[in-house]
Amino acid sequence: MARNTTRPATVERITLGRRQLYMLPTRYGLYFCVALVAMLLMALNYHNSIAYLFTFLLAAMAITSMLYTHRNVAGIEISAHAQAPVFAGESAKFSLHTENDRPRPRSGVWIHCGDRAERLELGAKDSASVELQQRTTRRGYVEMDPIAVSSAFPLGLLCTWSKSFRFNARCLVYPRPHGRYTLTPAAAGCTPQSYGTHADGDDFVGLRAYHPSDPPRHVHWKASARSQELLTKRFGGGGGTVWLDWDRLVELEPESRLSQLARWVVDAESNGLSYGLRLPGSVIGAGHGKHHRHRCLKALALWSGQ
Amino acid sequence: MVGSVRLPGLRHPAPPDHMPSREAVNLVLICTLAVLALHVTHVPLWMVLAASCLILWRYLIDNLGWRSPGSLVRMLLAIAMMVMVYKHYQSLLGRDPGVAMLFGLTGLKALELRRLRDYLLTVFLLYFLTVAAFLYSQSLWVGGYAFLVVALTTLCLVQLNQPLGAPWTRCLRLAGGLLVKSIPLMCILYLLFPRIQGSLWGVPIDAYGVIGLSDRVQMGSVHGLIANDRVAFRVEFDGEPPANRDLYWRALVLEDTDGRVWTRRSDLDDDPVPETIRERGREINYSVTLEPHNQRWLVALELPTVTPAMARRRAGYIVEANRKIRNRFRYRVQSHLDYRTGPLSRDQRFWGLHMAKAPTPRMQQLVNDWRAVAKTQAELVQLGFNYFREEPFFYTLSPGDIGNNPVDEFLFETRRGYCEYFATSFVTLMRMADVPSRLVVGYQGGEWNPAGNYMVIREFDAHAWAEVWLPGRGWQRVDPTAAVAPERVELGFSVLSRMAQNGHAFGVLDVDAARAAAQSNWWQRGVRETGFYFDFLNNAWNQLILDYDVDQQREWLRTLGIRTPAWVVLTGTLVLVVVLLFLLMAVVMLRPRPDRDPVVAGYRRFCAKLAPLGLERASYEGPWDFARRVARARPDLDGEVRRITSTYVNVRYRNRFAALPVLRRQIRQFRPTRSGGA
């Protein structure tokens, strides 16, 4: 089956069926049973036929509601996928896509994820998405917590719930961008020839400190505002590159190094620099842009020694 | 999130409690009022007022911003209520105080409706109170109203469990659907749930009162019944019903008297020597459905010749149930209207001539005159009967007070009265004349219900007559009332009361004139005829629902082939049938329903034609995405698939419904081959 690339890829999808669903009375269901028993005793003791009739009507209603409760949940299709990568410490976001292909609305369905629960209302032949957030602490991939579905529709007397499903949706977590060193040529180990030279051409390749002779329209105002000194855009073809190098940070722990590198990647990208990344065992050539940033951060997120 | 509704002690995902909506309060309050209305007839007035005030208070809290009472105030109110109930009933246990207390608590609970738990407990309390109302009345009307109340309460329950702002129509459909779908299961449970014979705990005395005929009769005692139009029993005849004048429903025979009050013989043995009856003429078979009267007597036409089941014969040709009739009791009897009975025993002779006190001289004079003339006892009886016909006695429903020597005063002074006045005087006179005689009480006549082809006998049909023993003929009925007012016996009491309504006196007109005098206008006739249909409905309700008990259940099971309805067998059958029915319902309710939208259904058919080629549409795939994928895999189908998809999208999303036939034709003609590039 060719996967449609316009939608985020789903890894697994489930359809809730009889085998995945359980049912028991709720606490209120037990109270209701107590009331029913009281009514039955009354009917029995007073030989009251019509009291029997109504007691049995209510009992039959509770039994019939089992089918309603089951039908409300059975057949829901659920798929999950991760949203955009996040930095460690932020919340990883997962989208749960639920689909109802039955001509009947589903009401009061709860999605449980960890200790949180989200209410879901699904129209007839409708689909709905629920966003689930999950705290992250470490870089790398974070697996989605198992989810379960429950519902006490329609009377609240019975509760049906599904067993837990572990979707293999995972969210990429970049290292936390953090470090002492700001992005300076010395620290970042830029190639000397690339810094501070004019280059001809129209391609924007990066920024350098402002010289009074630079034409004002080459000043990168946005970046200047961020770095609090004037920066000039550099143009050129094979211009210089900032190399963000693992080996320059020998005094740091590996995780701190990754955090420092991540900070530089973020800074370099926002400063519009062309940057490359050198890690033990892998080198990512110079570049810039969203995809390049993602490549670098992903490499940092997934780096596992040599 | 406040707690969760999961079962205690079990860890599983469960929906958390939610806060009910504002509308839920109003609906629960309306519902509470509807349920309390079922109880206003028997709960003390102050309790009705208190509960109504509490509900009104809650309404004002929500709508006018009144202050909500704290838990201390609520507690004090509850204690006050309990004390009041105790003072009123001298007890907190039993049916009446229990219901009154629940009634008050329901009102009190309205004040503290806050969390989902409060709401649900109130709803369950309302269900219970609705069913408890049947301890007081089981009429068709109460049943019908209670069903509406249960439906409303269920609507409440559904609404409480729906998300905020769920449309009313949806809640209504859900609640209605649930109730309707519960009816088959309810029937099974009702029919098969094992019924028991006795009671679980002592039924309080307040549950039943003695109703109807009493076994103590004195002048004026039947009077309470004359104004009472409650149904006493209904009769279905196999064949034609006898004429009204032959409808003497015998219930009790009273032989003992102290001169004022007539009672049953105190030494009546339980197992009398069978009294002989030589019946003549045709037998009459009929079924009687007796309303509960909390006594043992059963009614039967004079004289019963076959004893009904669950009953026995007692001395005096009467039948008695084995236990007090506390539920409607249906039995079959056979009677012969023409009969002779056997010889008089010593015992019967003693009681048949028993006198409490010496007669007054003018009574003695009267009897002595008859004895001088009559040659036989039969002639004596005839003279006595003629006395009532010829002397100026009046049949009236409102006789004056009568003093210490009732028979004497009635015979010679007041001369105004109804059946028991005539019957007791007649029996006294006959006993003075040495003719063994006794008083019989029961009902006379009845009204034919053409809607249901049965006869209704009401309390006002109660009657008393005399019975004398004549040599060679045995016990014979003599009804002195017939001598005074023949229309009472010929036409029945309901005609009599219509005559009274039209302002006619009794005993003056002959039977046909009396019937004409009882003519009512179109409005009264209409009311009466509608009444027949109501009574027919009521009777059907009684027989189908109310009278279903151990015996009927046994009978019904026998027709099913279950001959030994032991408790275990019955429970097993019940569980089995319930499970089978439940599975059947599950199959019907949970089966996937074919799509009703012809457009979607058509597109599904189209996809189904592609599926065998390995081209299955994924649920997230839009029609065009799918079409492109098909085109990539099978370029030969590209044109056709593109055409169908375009028509589908036009009909479905651009509302070009006119193209639906085109879509259908295109899909019908679409026959993709298995191998590509043909």
Side-chain angles (χ1 to χ4, degrees):
Chain A
M1 190 169 79
R3 190 146 277 155
N4 192 325
T5 48
T6 57
R7 273 169 179 270
T10 56
V11 188
E12 197 189 317
R13 125 190 326 264
I14 49 151
T15 306
L16 295 175
R18 217 172 41 242
R19 289 172 190 287
Q20 286 90 36
L21 293 171
Y22 309 93
M23 194 184 294
L24 272 180
T26 59
R27 191 151 43 95
Y28 303 126
L30 289 190
Y31 295 161
F32 184 70
C33 281
V34 171
L36 276 184
V37 168
M39 291 177 212
L40 189 64
L41 287 177
M42 191 161 66
L44 242 103
N45 195 54
Y46 286 88
H47 293 283
N48 197 315
S49 278
I50 184 165
Y52 273 116
L53 193 75
F54 274 72
T55 308
F56 293 146
L57 176 67
L58 293 175
M61 196 177 74
I63 296 175
T64 310
S65 80
M66 283 170 80
L67 295 173
Y68 278 76
T69 310
H70 180 79
R71 188 171 73 175
N72 189 42
V73 175
I76 297 184
E77 283 180 34
I78 306 175
S79 53
H81 58 82
Q83 291 187 357
V86 294
F87 292 100
E90 296 176 353
S91 287
K93 289 180 182 134
F94 295 94
S95 284
L96 213 60
H97 186 70
T98 54
E99 211 162 313
N100 173 20
D101 69 342
R102 308 271 164 95
R104 195 175 284 115
R106 298 166 187 277
S107 185
V109 178
W110 291 80
I111 307 269
H112 300 261
C113 183
D115 56 352
R116 291 160 40 77
E118 297 275 348
R119 184 165 190 150
L120 184 70
E121 298 291 330
L122 264 174
K125 297 197 152 285
D126 197 7
S127 59
S129 288
V130 177
E131 194 188 81
L132 297 172
Q133 299 197 347
Q134 213 166 296
R135 294 206 61 76
T136 59
T137 49
R138 320 180 26 246
R139 68 188 175 88
Y141 279 115
V142 59
E143 295 284 325
M144 184 178 166
D145 280 344
I147 68 126
V149 172
S150 78
S151 173
F153 174 90
L155 298 180
L157 304 179
L158 293 157
C159 168
T160 183
W161 75 94
S162 72
K163 57 185 182 192
S164 293
F165 295 102
R166 195 174 269 283
F167 285 94
N168 52 14
R170 51 187 192 170
C171 184
L172 185 62
V173 181
Y174 302 144
R176 191 158 75 95
H178 172 77
R180 281 180 279 165
Y181 307 114
T182 49
L183 185 63
T184 61
C190 48
T191 46
Q193 75 273 17
S194 66
Y195 235 79
T197 53
H198 270 290
D200 303 319
D202 300 327
D203 289 350
F204 171 74
V205 292
L207 295 166
R208 63 167 170 73
Y210 173 76
H211 293 281
S213 61
D214 289 335
R217 64 187 172 86
H218 280 186
V219 174
H220 193 295
W221 295 107
K222 251 189 198 164
S224 305
R226 270 198 294 273
S227 64
Q228 297 191 337
E229 55 172 334
L230 282 174
L231 297 170
T232 308
K233 294 179 202 166
R234 290 187 300 118
F235 297 92
T241 302
V242 192
W243 280 101
L244 311 173
D245 198 339
W246 168 272
D247 293 329
R248 296 244 161 189
L249 298 164
V250 268
E251 73 276 19
L252 293 178
E253 291 290 305
E255 288 301 321
S256 308
R257 281 197 215 185
L258 292 170
S259 278
Q260 179 67 64
L261 289 170
R263 183 195 161 175
W264 281 344
V265 169
V266 172
D267 288 352
E269 178 64 34
S270 64
N271 288 345
L273 294 173
S274 169
Y275 55 96
L277 180 65
R278 272 198 206 105
L279 285 173
S282 65
V283 174
I284 295 173
H288 67 270
K290 244 173 80 181
H291 283 288
H292 182 65
R293 174 180 180 268
H294 171 68
R295 254 182 89 201
C296 297
L297 288 171
K298 185 176 177 184
L300 293 173
L302 301 179
W303 185 81
S304 54
Q306 277 72 12
Chain B
M1 250 179 288
V2 195
S4 84
V5 295
R6 81 163 60 89
L7 214 58
L10 248 175
R11 286 205 58 79
H12 63 76
D17 273 5
H18 59 277
M19 288 307 267
S21 63
R22 172 60 79 81
E23 299 121 61
V25 185
N26 291 336
L27 190 59
V28 169
L29 291 186
I30 291 169
C31 221
T32 309
L33 286 175
V35 172
L36 295 190
L38 273 169
H39 288 276
V40 284
T41 50
H42 43 262
V43 164
L45 185 65
W46 56 264
M47 183 57 104
V48 174
L49 290 176
S52 315
C53 285
L54 290 172
I55 291 165
L56 183 68
W57 190 0
R58 172 62 200 233
Y59 182 80
L60 294 175
I61 288 170
D62 283 341
N63 291 283
L64 292 185
W66 281 31
R67 275 191 55 194
S68 194
S71 58
L72 184 71
V73 176
R74 291 201 305 264
M75 181 96 77
L76 287 176
L77 277 172
I79 290 171
M81 225 169 235
M82 204 142 41
V83 171
M84 293 281 279
V85 168
Y86 185 81
K87 276 188 76 173
H88 191 272
Y89 293 102
Q90 300 305 318
S91 163
L92 282 177
L93 298 174
R95 181 187 67 166
D96 291 344
V99 165
M101 201 60 223
L102 282 180
F103 189 95
L105 282 182
T106 313
L108 206 55
K109 196 77 192 156
L111 274 186
E112 57 167 359
L113 288 177
R114 203 162 50 82
R115 292 180 299 148
L116 185 66
R117 184 173 170 277
D118 303 322
Y119 282 89
L120 293 181
L121 286 181
T122 305
V123 164
F124 301 157
L125 197 61
L126 292 182
Y127 277 139
F128 184 86
L129 269 175
T130 308
V131 174
F134 298 128
L135 299 185
Y136 296 93
S137 169
Q138 303 168 36
S139 75
L140 183 58
W141 314 116
V142 169
Y145 178 71
F147 185 79
L148 290 181
V149 167
V150 164
L152 189 65
T153 316
T154 306
L155 180 66
C156 253
L157 191 55
V158 168
Q159 216 263 339
L160 284 171
N161 283 284
Q162 286 284 305
L164 298 180
W168 279 104
T169 47
R170 180 138 184 260
C171 297
L172 263 172
R173 236 192 356 258
L174 257 172
L178 243 176
L179 280 176
V180 168
K181 282 175 188 154
S182 308
I183 286 174
L185 260 178
M186 172 192 77
C187 293
I188 297 291
L189 285 166
Y190 182 76
L191 290 174
L192 288 180
F193 186 85
R195 302 299 176 92
I196 58 162
Q197 194 90 59
S199 290
L200 296 179
W201 63 87
V203 173
I205 301 153
D206 58 6
Y208 311 101
V210 173
I211 302 160
L213 290 183
S214 152
D215 54 3
R216 288 168 60 83
V217 166
Q218 57 179 320
M219 285 191 187
S221 70
V222 176
H223 195 251
L225 294 179
I226 280 171
N228 190 344
D229 65 352
R230 172 188 172 271
V231 172
F233 54 98
R234 296 182 175 87
V235 183
E236 288 157 62
F237 291 97
D238 304 358
E240 280 297 297
N244 199 79
R245 77 177 85 83
D246 291 328
L247 295 174
Y248 278 86
W249 306 99
R250 191 181 180 94
L252 292 162
V253 171
L254 309 181
E255 287 165 293
D256 194 2
T257 179
D258 64 355
R260 285 179 66 85
V261 183
W262 288 75
T263 52
R264 309 180 71 174
R265 252 161 68 180
S266 50
D267 64 338
L268 205 64
D269 50 345
D270 273 344
D271 189 20
V273 187
E275 297 160 305
T276 50
I277 303 177
R278 277 172 291 127
E279 60 263 22
R280 295 156 44 150
R282 73 178 178 105
E283 79 244 29
I284 294 176
N285 289 300
Y286 52 99
S287 309
V288 179
T289 310
L290 187 62
E291 295 291 313
H293 52 49
N294 203 25
Q295 303 178 72
R296 287 186 166 191
W297 53 259
L298 302 180
V299 287
L301 281 178
E302 291 192 323
L303 286 177
T305 41
V306 172
T307 314
M310 316 262 300
R312 60 194 164 146
R313 239 192 147 99
R314 299 296 302 269
Y317 307 100
I318 58 173
V319 276
E320 226 178 52
N322 291 341
R323 51 190 154 111
K324 288 189 175 177
I325 306 293
R326 286 178 169 177
N327 293 301
R328 209 168 280 99
F329 184 61
R330 191 178 160 84
Y331 55 92
R332 284 194 61 78
V333 214
Q334 190 192 69
S335 291
H336 281 80
L337 301 184
D338 198 358
Y339 52 85
R340 296 274 183 275
T341 65
L344 200 64
S345 68
R346 267 189 57 200
D347 190 43
Q348 283 174 334
R349 170 170 292 278
F350 169 78
W351 281 108
L353 297 175
H354 169 73
M355 293 285 286
K357 44 180 157 185
T360 58
R362 49 185 174 176
M363 280 167 75
Q364 195 62 59
Q365 183 60 46
L366 180 67
V367 173
N368 287 347
D369 290 351
W370 293 348
R371 289 178 99 163
V373 181
K375 293 186 199 72
T376 61
Q377 288 206 322
E379 278 183 42
L380 234 160
V381 171
Q382 190 59 50
L383 280 172
F385 186 76
N386 288 347
Y387 178 75
F388 281 96
R389 188 159 58 193
E390 284 149 16
E391 293 293 314
F393 281 100
F394 295 98
Y395 184 93
T396 170
L397 300 181
S398 44
D401 288 336
I402 214 145
N404 251 345
N405 200 340
V407 177
D408 179 79
E409 274 177 55
F410 174 70
L411 281 176
F412 300 107
E413 283 159 37
T414 65
R415 293 195 161 182
R416 303 167 66 81
Y418 44 90
C419 57
E420 59 197 24
Y421 288 74
F422 302 115
T424 50
S425 323
F426 184 78
V427 171
T428 311
L429 291 174
M430 285 301 113
R431 285 186 176 185
M432 285 166 58
D434 276 336
V435 179
S437 54
R438 55 195 185 185
L439 188 69
V440 184
V441 275
Y443 296 83
Q444 203 280 324
E447 189 173 34
W448 185 251
N449 184 332
N453 283 328
Y454 58 85
M455 187 165 273
V456 184
I457 290 87
R458 297 174 189 276
E459 293 299 350
F460 58 54
D461 289 313
H463 194 54
W465 58 95
E467 206 169 40
V468 294
W469 190 88
L470 297 174
R473 295 172 67 183
W475 288 105
Q476 292 293 313
R477 177 178 66 233
V478 180
D479 187 356
T481 309
V484 181
E487 64 267 32
R488 163 71 185 87
V489 174
E490 293 284 342
L491 302 177
F493 187 85
S494 49
V495 174
L496 222 63
S497 62
R498 286 208 293 280
M499 274 174 72
Q501 264 174 22
N502 293 354
H504 291 276
F506 307 127
V508 188
L509 305 165
D510 66 25
V511 169
D512 288 329
R515 190 178 283 128
Q519 272 309 329
S520 30
N521 60 25
W522 63 271
W523 168 251
Q524 290 164 323
R525 253 199 326 277
V527 168
R528 200 163 68 244
E529 272 155 28
T530 317
F532 289 145
Y533 285 96
F534 282 156
D535 191 75
F536 172 64
L537 272 182
N538 243 316
N539 191 33
W541 165 257
N542 291 343
Q543 299 202 352
L544 285 175
I545 309 285
L546 299 187
D547 300 344
Y548 189 75
D549 59 0
V550 186
D551 306 317
Q552 286 219 21
Q553 188 177 47
R554 214 166 272 174
E555 206 171 294
W556 188 78
L557 286 173
R558 205 164 291 140
T559 61
L560 281 188
I562 302 172
R563 296 204 172 272
T564 49
W567 198 82
V568 182
V569 177
L570 212 53
T571 314
T573 317
L574 175 68
V575 170
L576 190 75
V577 175
V578 165
V579 167
L580 283 178
L581 183 62
F582 182 77
L583 289 179
L584 184 74
M585 283 167 68
V587 167
V588 173
M589 276 180 67
L590 302 180
R591 72 166 199 276
R593 273 206 263 174
D595 213 301
R596 287 202 208 116
D597 184 349
V599 184
V600 178
Y603 188 68
R604 289 221 166 155
R605 277 201 303 282
F606 164 71
C607 293
K609 286 179 173 180
L610 284 166
L613 311 180
L615 293 163
E616 220 164 319
R617 190 174 82 96
S619 59
Y620 56 79
E621 224 169 359
W624 280 119
D625 297 328
F626 180 55
R628 274 193 287 276
R629 187 157 63 84
V630 172
R632 274 200 301 279
R634 292 284 303 271
D636 58 309
L637 297 176
D638 186 23
E640 222 173 339
V641 168
R642 201 180 283 274
R643 227 178 6 259
I644 293 174
T645 305
S646 154
T647 320
Y648 168 64
V649 168
N650 277 336
V651 178
R652 177 99 199 265
Y653 301 108
R654 296 197 188 126
N655 297 336
R656 307 244 168 91
F657 298 115
L660 179 60
V662 180
L663 177 71
R664 280 183 166 158
R665 201 188 54 239
Q666 283 174 341
I667 291 169
R668 199 168 53 242
Q669 289 167 354
F670 179 61
R671 291 199 182 83
T673 48
R674 200 160 269 278
S675 55

